[in-house]
Amino acid sequence: MTTRRTLIRSLGAVTAVGLAGCTSGDGSDGDTGGDGGGGGDGGSDGSDGGSGDEWVQTDTVDMTDELVYDPPKVEVEAGTTLTFENAGSIGHTVTAYEDKIPDGASYFASGGYDSEQAAKDAYNENQGGNVPEGETYEVTLETTGTYEYYCIPHEMNGMVGEIKVI
């Protein structure tokens, strides 16, 4: 016979297991500074104690069902076309933090929006800028510096990334 105490204990265990799947799994506290910025200082040398968050030279970033950009920090030469590929089964966006791109750089967001607010509005209205399973989004960055970006529906899960253009 199931007692109320056994039922509550079971529900607590199920809840804990369910919530464990909602974390980003990157070991961070998820704090983005409260300003919509991607955290980070934009000037990091990429060494963070071995958490796997070093700068990686590549021109392809996967967007995954684990709600991450892989790799999260990429380094490219100016003029390189960077391809974001949705390697998972759920949609994602690539949306630059407007205040976290180099001065003079062109704004970028999947869907071709010219501002962060326009990208957010379009996503919230009709999932504008969504990159579905198996699709890609490309951006060519000409201005050197560090760019921070995020996935609109998964930012709260820690789906953020950085690009260093050299």
Side-chain angles (χ1 to χ4, degrees):
M1 177 169 187
T2 303
T3 66
R4 189 173 358 173
R5 183 175 293 156
T6 303
L7 178 62
I8 291 171
R9 225 180 280 149
S10 296
L11 287 174
V14 168
T15 301
V17 169
L19 289 175
C22 293
T23 63
S24 66
D26 66 357
S28 73
D29 63 4
D31 182 13
T32 60
D35 65 352
D41 62 8
S44 169
D45 67 357
S47 61
D48 61 353
S51 72
D53 205 20
E54 293 82 23
W55 294 102
V56 176
Q57 293 183 342
T58 184
D59 60 1
T60 303
V61 175
D62 286 340
M63 300 179 285
T64 74
D65 285 347
E66 286 75 34
L67 308 182
V68 296
Y69 295 106
D70 185 24
K73 296 173 95 173
V74 299
E75 181 178 277
V76 297
E77 291 186 22
T80 299
T81 298
L82 190 58
T83 302
F84 293 85
E85 182 174 345
N86 188 341
S89 62
I90 57 176
H92 299 289
T93 71
V94 179
T95 311
Y97 288 109
E98 201 159 0
D99 61 344
K100 304 251 181 185
I101 62 174
D103 289 338
S106 296
Y107 182 78
F108 67 91
S110 52
Y113 303 101
D114 59 3
S115 72
E116 185 175 359
Q117 191 60 54
K120 286 180 181 179
D121 291 345
Y123 186 84
N124 290 330
E125 290 171 16
N126 62 4
Q127 290 196 356
N130 187 55
V131 180
E133 174 182 3
E135 298 291 320
T136 62
Y137 166 70
E138 294 181 345
V139 62
T140 303
L141 302 173
E142 302 287 348
T143 304
T144 59
T146 302
Y147 299 71
E148 295 184 30
Y149 63 95
Y150 66 104
C151 176
I152 293 171
H154 303 123
E155 177 186 24
M156 71 179 125
N157 300 98
M159 191 166 181
V160 297
E162 292 181 72
I163 307 162
K164 185 188 298 184
V165 178
I166 55 173

